[in-house]
Amino acid sequence: VHRMLGEPDEALGAYAAAEAIVPGLPEAAFGAWVLTRAPGTVLGPAGEATDYVAARTAIDQAVLPEDDPYAVDGTAYARALLDLAEGGERLAHATNALERLKTAYGFDQLLTYAAERARKSAQAWGAETQYRRQEAERDDLPRVRLETSRGDIVLELFEDDVPNSVRQFVHLVRQGVYDGATVGTTIPFLAALVGLDLDPGYTIPTERRGARARGAFRGVVGFLGTGKDTEAAALFVTTGTATHLGDDFVVFGWVREGQAVADALQAGDTIRKATVERVRDGVAYRPVRADGTPVPGDD
């Protein structure tokens, strides 16, 4: 329970107490090393940046008990979780490592869940890369530049998949809604949450993805909502693979340039200026509100 609540020190104390009662208890050693100590090297407190280099260094420099298979597997688990978060081609490595660990420690549901998530994410990434190749050939999707206090991020928007969400974002950028917006918090190796206090005065319909499922891989942007048809202006930018969120949030674009900047965002950072760099000719970027009426304007 302590481990699931994010209290590693208390969890380690409980595992030690269990081992004192039953020396050599496998579940206690597994819990202490595989589930708590090693993964703790790739996690950080809310509000901090995502730093893959520092996390990998921490894993490599961890002092392990000699000849302790649990410590070795714990380190392998930490590396696999980091590969899963970083995504892309590393998803295949994460899948292989987690499948091996699942075979050895199948009694743990969280490890089994991580292995399944890695497998599904790797499969979906293959389709996503094909979509992006096709989009690169057409080279006509809208783009928005975010000038942040950490550097610039260029977003390419999935207008073919979620057109109303893209129109909402472009419309808000043109209205200057994101100029001066702050990063409310970050969840390291998952996402930065931006503009949590922004309120344009209306919401838009939750736009469900069609046949092409654009998953929440590392480096995508989407709207935050509190339920169906509650998306408005608040954003998330993923700094780790978040495909386990499924359809809970609407993804409407990806970080074409500046992923390192997105990873570096911390609570309190700002978007100094948001600018529409290009849109499609002949498209009126006027979103439809949740009540079915178009937003006024000449976008």
Side-chain angles (χ1 to χ4, degrees):
V1 171
H2 283 305
R3 175 174 58 81
M4 295 177 70
L5 289 175
E7 301 168 347
D9 292 340
E10 291 82 352
L12 290 173
Y15 286 131
E19 285 193 285
I21 296 171
V22 184
L25 181 66
E27 288 81 0
F30 169 81
W33 270 109
V34 179
L35 297 181
T36 306
R37 283 193 178 95
T41 63
V42 300
L43 302 176
E48 292 191 353
T50 293
D51 191 333
Y52 285 93
V53 173
R56 293 189 188 283
T57 300
I59 294 172
D60 293 340
Q61 294 179 349
V63 178
L64 306 179
E66 294 184 5
D67 302 322
D68 186 335
Y70 293 110
V72 173
D73 284 344
T75 302
Y77 186 40
R79 289 196 179 100
L81 291 178
L82 200 59
D83 285 340
L84 174 56
E86 192 162 2
E89 300 307 315
R90 292 186 179 275
L91 288 170
H93 299 292
T95 301
N96 293 335
L98 289 168
E99 286 293 335
R100 181 189 70 79
L101 292 168
K102 185 180 75 172
T103 300
Y105 306 107
F107 56 80
D108 186 80
Q109 292 182 343
L110 288 180
L111 194 155
T112 299
Y113 171 69
E116 181 69 6
R117 185 159 69 91
R119 183 184 64 81
K120 290 182 177 179
S121 296
Q123 292 174 344
W125 178 247
E128 177 66 22
T129 54
Q130 179 63 27
Y131 300 153
R132 294 189 189 184
R133 279 195 294 268
Q134 294 169 352
E135 291 164 348
E137 291 174 0
R138 292 195 302 270
D139 194 26
D140 67 345
L141 289 177
R143 291 178 187 169
V144 166
R145 180 177 296 272
L146 304 179
E147 300 173 29
T148 82
S149 51
R150 299 280 175 180
D152 286 8
I153 299 171
V154 176
L155 303 173
E156 187 162 283
L157 311 180
F158 299 145
E159 187 169 354
D160 293 332
D161 302 281
V162 283
N164 195 59
S165 298
V166 169
R167 290 168 189 172
Q168 169 74 345
F169 183 59
V170 170
H171 174 75
L172 294 177
V173 170
R174 285 175 164 174
Q175 297 296 313
V177 169
Y178 294 105
D179 297 348
T182 60
V183 177
T185 190
T186 62
I187 306 169
F189 303 97
L190 186 64
L193 309 185
V194 181
L196 299 178
D197 58 344
L198 299 179
D199 181 10
Y202 63 91
T203 63
I204 61 173
T206 298
E207 198 164 17
R208 293 306 178 194
R209 297 171 297 179
R212 302 199 320 175
R214 309 307 292 258
F217 300 100
R218 176 180 175 231
V220 301
V221 60
F223 282 124
L224 286 168
T226 57
K228 187 176 183 296
D229 301 340
T230 62
E231 292 82 16
L235 306 174
F236 66 86
V237 181
T238 56
T239 58
T241 301
T243 50
H244 58 295
L245 298 177
D247 288 330
D248 291 343
F249 299 99
V250 177
V251 172
F252 63 77
W254 68 287
V255 177
R256 182 180 177 85
E257 300 173 19
Q259 184 61 47
V261 175
D263 291 343
L265 291 174
Q266 299 182 42
D269 287 341
T270 60
I271 297 177
R272 294 171 175 168
K273 180 72 175 177
T275 307
V276 177
E277 291 205 327
R278 77 177 189 186
V279 291
R280 284 171 165 166
D281 293 338
V283 176
Y285 287 88
R286 294 178 58 197
V288 173
R289 293 178 288 206
D291 62 7
T293 61
V295 173
D298 56 3
D299 293 330

